[in-house]
Every structure is written in C-alpha cells, then in structure tokens.
C-alpha cells in the first residue's frame, strides 16, 4: 500500500477542511404516521475535502503520486487529521489547483476513507 509522500505537507490547511459521512440510512415516508428508517449498510464511508498550499515542485510530486503511484484509483495510507490514527484514503477526483502567488498553488483534495 502506498503512503502519503513525505515531501508534501503532512497536515491540510484548517480553512476549508470538511469531513462528512455518506448517509447510510434509507428514509421512507409513509401515507400515515412517522417515516420508517433503516440502515442501508453498517459501515459508513467518510468523505473529506481538504486544502494544501504547495510549491510548484510539490505539485509535481503530487501529480506523480496521483497519476503514477496510485494510477488514479489505488488507496494510500495517511493520518486521519481529526483522530490522529492512520487510515486508508482514496481520491474521489483528481486534485484541483488554483494559483496562490508566484510559485505557490492552493490545492484541493477530494478524498474518501473506506470502512
């Protein structure tokens, strides 16, 4: 299993960091009375959106990691930034980049942690 490259920031930016669970509950409205609810599955997928501030060289490292090391689909180990434990992440989409100044790029990662 691949691990998050040591040459990249080890913590995301606090600004814009979000974590959410993909709903695992199915809700069915009834003609009369309260809605019925049931679990669709017992293990929830968690979704993360996190930003990094990267140099141009670090963008190249991230691109190599995403396209070559992971082949765009493989999982990798990194720290869960809320709990501190090591978990396996997978990219939900390619990294997004926006210029943050000469030689710097604000990068957004869309990741998921599978159960």
């Amino acid at each position: 299993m691949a691990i998050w490259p040591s040459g990249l920031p080890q913590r995301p930016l606090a600004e814009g960091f979000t974590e959410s669970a993909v709903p695992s509950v199915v809700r069915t409205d009834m003609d009369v009375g309260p809605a019925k609810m049931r679990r669709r599955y017992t293990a929830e997928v968690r979704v993360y959106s996190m930003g990094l501030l990267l140099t141009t060289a670090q963008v190249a490292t991230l691109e190599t990691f995403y396209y070559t090391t992971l082949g765009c689909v493989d999982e990798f180990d990194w720290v869960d930034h809320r709990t501190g434990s090591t978990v396996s992440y997978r990219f939900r989409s390619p990294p997004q980049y926006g210029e943050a100044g000469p030689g710097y790029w604000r990068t957004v990662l869309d990741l998921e942690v599978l159960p």
Side-chain angles (χ1 to χ4, degrees):
M1 167 107 37
I3 59 172
W4 182 252
S6 61
L8 295 176
Q10 296 304 303
R11 293 202 52 86
L13 300 170
E15 179 186 346
F17 179 89
T18 62
E19 173 188 354
S20 60
V22 174
S24 63
V25 174
V26 175
R27 181 181 174 95
T28 305
D29 291 325
M30 300 287 109
D31 289 337
V32 177
K36 301 227 181 217
M37 295 177 65
R38 68 175 172 82
R39 291 186 76 134
R40 183 177 294 163
Y41 41 83
T42 57
E44 290 183 338
V45 174
R46 289 179 302 154
V47 177
Y48 293 83
S49 178
M50 57 183 77
L52 302 172
L53 184 61
L54 303 179
T55 64
T56 300
Q58 288 174 320
V59 167
T61 300
L62 180 58
E63 292 280 296
T64 300
F65 181 66
Y66 177 74
Y67 288 106
T68 304
T69 305
L70 301 178
C72 307
V73 297
D74 290 339
E75 296 178 32
F76 63 95
D77 287 342
W78 195 17
V79 173
D80 180 316
H81 303 289
R82 183 176 49 82
T83 66
S85 61
T86 300
V87 295
S88 295
Y89 288 92
R90 182 171 63 185
F91 280 89
R92 292 169 45 100
S93 61
Q96 301 172 31
Y97 305 102
E99 190 171 5
Y104 289 93
W105 302 89
R106 184 171 297 279
T107 305
V108 177
L109 307 179
D110 184 22
L111 305 173
E112 63 187 356
V113 174
L114 301 174

